Amino acid sequence: MSTRDLPGPVADISEARRLQARKHSAVGWPVAGLLLLGVIGLVMVGVATSRVGVLPALVGALAALIPVGVVFAAIVWIDRWEPEPPVLMVGAFLWGAGGATACSLLLNGSVIGLGELLFGPSEHVFFERALMAPLVEEGAKALFVVVLWFWRRSEFNGLVDGIVYAGLTAAGFAFTENILYFGKAFSESGWGSATGGVIAVFILRGVLAPFSHPLFTSMVGIGIGLASRTTDTTKRVLWPAAGFALAVLLHAAWNASTLLGGTGFLNVYFLIMVPIFAGTGWLVVWQRKREQRIVADQLPVLQRAGLIPRSEVEMLASLAGRRGWLRKVRRSAGVEPAKAVRDYQIAVTELAFLQHRAAEGRTTSAVRRARRERLIGELKAARRSAVGSQEAFQTARVKIHELTQSVRRPGPRVNADGTSRRSSPPPTPGPPATGEQPGRRPESRPQQGPGRPAPQGRPPRQQPGPPAPQHRPGPPPRQ
C-alpha cells in the first residue's frame, strides 16, 4: 500500500528530531549570547576602573544605579501587555552596557584623532561631541535592535516592542557612561556641590536627563516598529533609516547644548527635549491602548476556536482583570500556580497578536502555523501546570476538568483572516426532526463557557405508536 493510500499522515521521527534540535538551538544561542555580553561587561568594568580608579568606579556605579533603576521600571511598565522574553531584554541591556559602549570607546578614539587632524587641537571638540559622537553611539546602540528585528521578527508587533528593546539598549549604555562620568567627577572634585563634583553631574545626568539616551534611541525603535507593521519593502527600509537619522539629530542637539551651556542649554532642554519626551510618552500610552484593543478584538475569535473558555474572555481583555485574577490565585493557591496563570495570559496575548497579523496579511501561512503550534503548546503547558493546584483556576471561576481537555487546533476552525469557520457534523441515519434537513444535526459550538463542551444536537425522540393524520383530527386509521 502506498503512502497516499494511508488514512492519515505517517509519523515522521526525523521531523521530531529536527523540532528537538530547534528547541535546543533556541535556548542555546541566547544563553551563549548572554555569556559573551557578560564577558564584554567585565571588560568594561576593567576599563572603567583603569580610567578613574577602583573607588571612583564604585562610587560611580552606586550613583548610576539610581537613574537606570528609574528607566528600567518605566520600560517594564510600558511592556506590561505583551512582556518580551526576559533573555532578550537582559541581552539588550547587556549589549548597551558592554558591546555598544566598547564600540563607542574604540570608534570615538579614532574620531578624536581625525578631528584634531581636520580642525586642529583647539577646534575639534564640537566636531567630536556634536557630530561624530552621536553618529557612532546611536549606530552602536541601534545595531542590537536591527539584528534582533531580522533574527526574531515575530517579537515585533508594533511600536511598543521597538521602543522597549531600543530603550533597554540605551539604558545599558547610559549606565556604563554614567559610571565613567560620576567616577571622573569623584576623582577630580569628590562629592562636591550643586556647582561641581558628583552632585552636580548627578543633577545633570540623573535628575534632568535620565531618559536622554533612551529617548534618542527610541526613535530607532519607533522606526522599526513602523517597519514591522508594513509589507512594503521600501517602507521597511525607510522607516528604520528615518528613525536612526532622527536619533542622531536629537543626540547632536543635546551634545551641542551642553557645549553652549547656560541659556543655550536651557533653551534646547525646555523647547526641544521636553516636548519630544512628552510626545513620545503620549505615543507609548496610545500604543498600549491599541494593543489592548487588538487583544480584546481577537479574544472572541480564540474562544470560538476552542482555545479559551468563554468565562475567561472578560478577565483577559484588560490589565485590571488580569491583575485581579493573578492576585486571587496567588492568595489562594501560591506563587507557582500564579506563575502558570501568568504564562497562560502571555500565551493568549501572543496568539491574539498572531491572529491580528494574519488578518492584516503580515505573515506567511507557514510561519503562522509554526508559531501558532508553539504558542498553543505553551498555552497547554501553562494550563497543566496550574492544574497542579486545584484552587488556581477555581478562583478564576473555571472548572478544573476543562483545563485538562485537549485544546483544539485553530487551523480547522479559524481562517487566515481571523474569521471563524464552522463545519457541520456527519449525517445521522434515521428520520429527521421537524424543521431539520434530512440526515443533518444542528451545528454545535465548541466549549460554551466553563464546563464540558455543549453536547451535539440530536433529533427529538419520536413517540411510540402510529403517527396521527396531518390534516384532520380524529382516531388513527385502522391497521
Side-chain angles (χ1 to χ4, degrees):
M1 183 170 59
S2 62
T3 304
R4 61 184 179 182
D5 296 328
L6 293 175
V10 180
D12 187 0
I13 299 179
S14 61
E15 179 63 25
R17 290 174 179 171
R18 286 194 296 269
L19 179 60
Q20 189 68 20
R22 285 197 298 269
K23 290 181 179 179
H24 291 168
S25 176
V27 175
W29 282 111
V31 172
L34 290 179
L35 291 176
L36 178 60
L37 293 177
V39 172
I40 296 175
L42 292 176
V43 173
M44 291 308 303
V45 170
V47 171
T49 304
S50 64
R51 288 197 169 203
V52 299
V54 177
L55 181 59
L58 291 176
V59 172
L62 292 176
L65 285 174
I66 299 175
V68 78
V70 174
V71 173
F72 199 87
I75 293 174
V76 171
W77 176 83
I78 292 173
D79 197 38
R80 285 190 301 171
W81 253 114
E82 187 206 4
E84 304 304 319
V87 172
L88 297 181
M89 297 179 71
V90 173
F93 183 85
L94 289 179
W95 169 256
T101 310
C103 293
S104 298
L105 288 176
L106 293 174
L107 294 176
N108 283 336
S110 303
V111 168
I112 291 175
L114 178 62
E116 292 179 350
L117 180 63
L118 294 177
F119 300 96
S122 60
E123 302 294 336
H124 65 90
V125 177
F126 184 85
F127 171 78
E128 295 167 6
R129 294 187 183 180
L131 297 179
M132 297 307 299
L135 185 64
V136 170
E137 293 177 7
E138 294 305 322
K141 289 182 290 183
L143 180 62
F144 180 90
V145 189
V146 173
V147 171
L148 182 63
W149 181 47
F150 279 101
W151 178 45
R152 296 282 291 271
R153 190 162 295 184
S154 60
E155 299 295 340
F156 289 85
N157 295 311
L159 273 65
V160 172
D161 296 328
I163 292 173
V164 165
Y165 286 118
L168 285 172
T169 305
F173 184 91
F175 176 67
T176 303
E177 191 178 58
N178 284 340
I179 292 176
L180 295 175
Y181 275 99
F182 295 153
K184 182 180 179 181
F186 182 81
S187 64
E188 293 177 353
S189 306
W191 293 105
S193 62
T195 58
V198 176
I199 295 178
V201 178
F202 184 83
I203 292 174
L204 176 62
R205 301 184 64 86
V207 177
L208 293 178
F211 290 93
S212 58
H213 275 289
L215 177 63
F216 306 151
T217 315
S218 66
M219 300 299 115
V220 179
I222 292 173
I224 292 179
L226 291 172
S228 66
R229 292 169 55 179
T230 181
T231 57
D232 191 330
T233 305
T234 303
K235 291 181 180 179
R236 285 192 169 186
V237 175
L238 291 180
W239 279 124
F244 177 73
L246 186 56
V248 172
L249 182 62
L250 289 176
H251 198 158
W254 174 258
N255 284 4
S257 69
T258 60
L259 295 175
L260 297 175
T263 305
F265 170 77
L266 293 178
N267 288 337
V268 172
Y269 182 79
F270 286 105
L271 297 180
I272 298 179
M273 296 301 166
V274 171
I276 292 178
F277 178 75
T280 305
W282 173 85
L283 180 64
V284 167
V285 173
W286 177 61
Q287 285 296 306
R288 288 179 75 250
K289 292 182 179 180
R290 173 183 171 273
E291 290 184 345
Q292 181 179 5
R293 290 194 299 269
I294 290 175
V295 174
D297 290 343
Q298 296 300 327
L299 285 176
V301 178
L302 301 181
Q303 185 267 325
R304 290 195 299 268
L307 294 173
I308 59 175
R310 184 188 298 272
S311 57
E312 294 174 3
V313 171
E314 182 179 356
M315 291 182 292
L316 291 168
S318 66
L319 287 175
R322 295 184 178 205
R323 287 195 300 268
W325 186 357
L326 290 175
R327 280 197 301 267
K328 292 178 182 179
V329 172
R330 192 177 293 109
R331 284 198 302 263
S332 60
V335 176
E336 291 303 321
K339 288 182 180 179
V341 174
R342 177 62 172 161
D343 294 339
Y344 170 73
Q345 293 176 350
I346 294 174
V348 170
T349 304
E350 292 282 355
L351 279 169
F353 277 108
L354 178 64
Q355 191 66 26
H356 176 72
R357 288 198 302 272
E360 293 187 343
R362 291 189 286 114
T363 179
T364 64
S365 58
V367 172
R368 183 172 66 251
R369 283 195 299 268
R371 182 165 171 78
R372 185 173 59 196
E373 291 298 326
R374 180 178 67 81
L375 290 174
I376 291 176
E378 294 176 0
L379 186 146
K380 289 181 180 179
R383 282 188 166 187
R384 290 167 183 165
S385 298
V387 169
S389 176
Q390 293 191 356
E391 292 85 357
F393 278 85
Q394 284 178 344
T395 306
R397 307 188 305 275
V398 179
K399 295 182 179 180
I400 294 298
H401 72 271
E402 188 174 79
L403 304 178
T404 60
Q405 295 175 0
S406 299
V407 180
R408 293 184 178 90
R409 294 185 179 183
R413 291 286 181 180
V414 180
N415 292 319
D417 58 355
T419 59
S420 177
R421 184 192 309 167
R422 300 181 182 177
S423 59
S424 301
T428 303
T434 305
E436 295 181 358
Q437 298 179 6
R440 297 180 64 87
R441 296 179 182 176
E443 290 184 350
S444 61
R445 297 174 62 86
Q447 214 165 331
Q448 298 290 335
R452 297 183 181 277
Q456 300 286 347
R458 295 179 180 176
R461 185 177 299 175
Q462 301 291 334
Q463 297 295 332
Q470 297 293 328
H471 300 289
R472 60 182 182 180
R478 295 181 180 180
Q479 299 292 335

